[in-house]
Amino acid sequence: LYTHDPEDPHSIASNDTNALVRDEVGGIWIATWPGGLDYLAPGSKKFRHYRIDSAERPDSKLNISRALHIDADKDLWIGTEKGVMMLKAGAPWEDRYTLDTPASRINRFYSDRSGTVWAGTLSAGLLRWERGSDTTIRYRQRADDPHSLPSEDIRSLMQDRGGMLWIGTFTDGISLVNRNTRGFQRFIPNTQNEAGELPGSSVQAMSGAPNGQLWIGNTSGFSLFDPASGEVLRRYQSRPGQPGALSNDIVYSLYQQPGGPLWVGTSAGLNRLDNVDGSFSVVRFDSLASGFINTIAPSADGSLWLGTGADVIRLDVSVLDKNRRPVRGLELEDFTVTEDGTPQRVVAIAAVD
């Protein structure tokens, strides 16, 4: 658990975390509110603080980052409220530079298998850069073109196992990108049917699901979507008072662990789903703000980094014995959580079969 300490200049700069990304050596870049980046080197407890804008040309919007990305060449992409900044791999911080992009908030970055980098913006559509290029290619919504981008507000991007690129919009569901024609095919309508079988049109998070399917999260829970049929196979929503239900309908982040469970970050804790027909195990934290799981970043050792509204949390998702076998039957008293060496209260654990 990492929190800001006003008496410690090496603590995290702010408790409110917008984005996390792990670099090739295992260090963590963190975008905090109200501005700037922090870096935690592997094995260190001391954060380094970086100003995104410059002292000579201060710009509060440029200093706010909501998206971070490490590409195939190990370059750091910084999405700000006014476009994109780049730090080349191995370059000193002072050599960061601004790319020629619209002055819009960057919501999300994504690298496809070819190394192409994509970015979803708040109001400027979809942006693309071929690997090794700083030239920005822009896709926009056009009222007279039904195959254009369905919305200018892009919240999530992902490539499925068949190589198809999907985008999730804040107002018009999800769409498939046709790289050959540069057109977009909308798959989810922007209204629900009377039976409530289709998710709402606001898509906030996506992740790959087993069997080539997609997980789609929004403000009314999340869904399992089948691209082959264009149908929603199952919806998941909170059920107050019902054990094993999703903890909250507002879904900020989704992460399908390879060969493992789905992790769902909501506004009321982190949820674990081990199979599509199973129940949820919920990990709750000590404060209300810590329950806002804004972002999930996997670590090389299988642990998860969580960016919340109150702190940064490193979560070991399983306990193994010396033979690397899962340990069963643990109780609260078996766990000790420390922050900078000081024991903290463990609020709850949930057993996972």
Side-chain angles (χ1 to χ4, degrees):
L1 179 67
Y2 301 91
T3 58
H4 174 66
D5 180 355
E7 302 299 322
D8 181 4
H10 299 295
S11 69
I12 192 170
S14 171
N15 290 332
D16 195 347
T17 305
N18 292 329
L20 293 167
V21 69
R22 181 175 61 89
D23 65 17
E24 74 281 0
V25 299
I28 300 292
W29 287 95
I30 305 167
T32 62
W33 176 265
L37 297 186
D38 278 11
Y39 182 75
L40 184 65
S44 177
K45 294 183 178 179
K46 295 183 178 181
F47 290 84
R48 301 178 213 159
H49 310 300
Y50 295 93
R51 181 173 179 167
I52 304 174
D53 64 350
S54 65
E56 296 76 19
R57 301 181 64 182
D59 188 326
S60 60
K61 287 189 174 182
L62 194 63
N63 200 44
I64 298 173
S65 174
R66 296 184 182 273
L68 297 172
H69 183 65
I70 302 288
D71 67 13
D73 297 318
K74 303 180 178 56
D75 299 331
L76 175 65
W77 297 69
I78 306 166
T80 77
E81 293 280 348
K82 289 184 65 176
V84 179
M85 294 197 70
M86 169 79 75
L87 180 66
K88 288 291 186 179
W93 180 253
E94 56 268 21
D95 287 352
R96 68 196 183 281
Y97 61 94
T98 303
L99 296 184
D100 184 14
T101 61
S104 175
R105 175 192 298 176
I106 304 299
N107 291 325
R108 190 84 60 177
F109 288 113
Y110 187 82
S111 282
D112 66 23
R113 292 170 200 158
S114 70
T116 297
V117 176
W118 301 79
T121 74
L122 178 69
S123 58
L126 181 67
L127 310 179
R128 176 168 68 97
W129 298 268
E130 296 297 333
R131 184 171 181 175
S133 173
D134 288 347
T135 301
T136 304
I137 301 170
R138 183 181 181 186
Y139 301 88
R140 303 197 63 183
Q141 182 184 34
R142 302 188 184 282
D144 59 347
D145 183 359
H147 300 292
S148 70
L149 197 65
S151 170
E152 298 276 87
D153 189 350
I154 310 299
R155 296 301 175 98
S156 55
L157 305 105
M158 68 152 291
Q159 190 174 31
D160 65 23
R161 69 178 186 180
M164 308 301 287
L165 185 72
W166 296 86
I167 62 169
T169 72
F170 190 63
T171 56
D172 292 87
I174 67 171
S175 293
L176 179 65
V177 181
N178 189 318
R179 294 291 301 272
N180 295 323
T181 65
R182 298 188 179 183
F184 298 85
Q185 180 182 0
R186 186 180 304 175
F187 268 68
I188 294 186
N190 57 6
T191 57
Q192 299 184 24
N193 63 12
E194 293 182 358
E197 295 172 347
L198 298 175
S201 59
S202 176
V203 177
Q204 298 194 133
M206 289 194 298
S207 184
N211 304 315
Q213 295 160 353
L214 306 180
W215 298 111
I216 302 171
N218 56 24
T219 56
S220 57
F222 73 100
S223 304
L224 179 63
F225 174 71
D226 181 23
S229 64
E231 296 182 354
V232 171
L233 303 181
R234 182 157 184 167
R235 292 191 68 193
Y236 302 84
Q237 292 182 300
S238 63
R239 299 284 187 267
Q242 178 178 321
L246 185 67
S247 63
N248 192 275
D249 282 338
I250 300 177
V251 175
Y252 291 123
S253 50
L254 294 166
Y255 171 61
Q256 176 68 61
Q257 189 173 342
L262 171 71
W263 297 92
V264 185
T266 74
S267 62
L270 180 68
N271 296 248
R272 172 174 172 154
L273 183 68
D274 285 272
N275 60 77
V276 295
D277 297 316
S279 59
F280 291 90
S281 301
V282 183
V283 182
R284 301 184 189 275
F285 302 100
D286 202 11
S287 71
L288 180 63
S290 294
F292 284 77
I293 312 299
N294 297 326
T295 183
I296 303 172
S299 183
D301 62 5
S303 61
L304 301 179
W305 288 87
L306 310 176
T308 81
D311 40 39
V312 172
I313 298 169
R314 183 178 180 272
L315 180 69
D316 288 323
V317 298
S318 62
V319 179
L320 306 179
D321 64 17
K322 64 181 180 180
N323 296 315
R324 305 297 294 172
R325 294 176 301 198
V327 178
R328 310 292 185 185
L330 295 172
E331 304 292 340
L332 274 177
E333 294 74 18
D334 297 314
F335 290 85
T336 300
V337 177
T338 62
E339 177 187 350
D340 296 332
T342 303
Q344 304 293 313
R345 184 166 67 94
V346 179
V347 178
I349 64 171
V352 178
D353 294 331

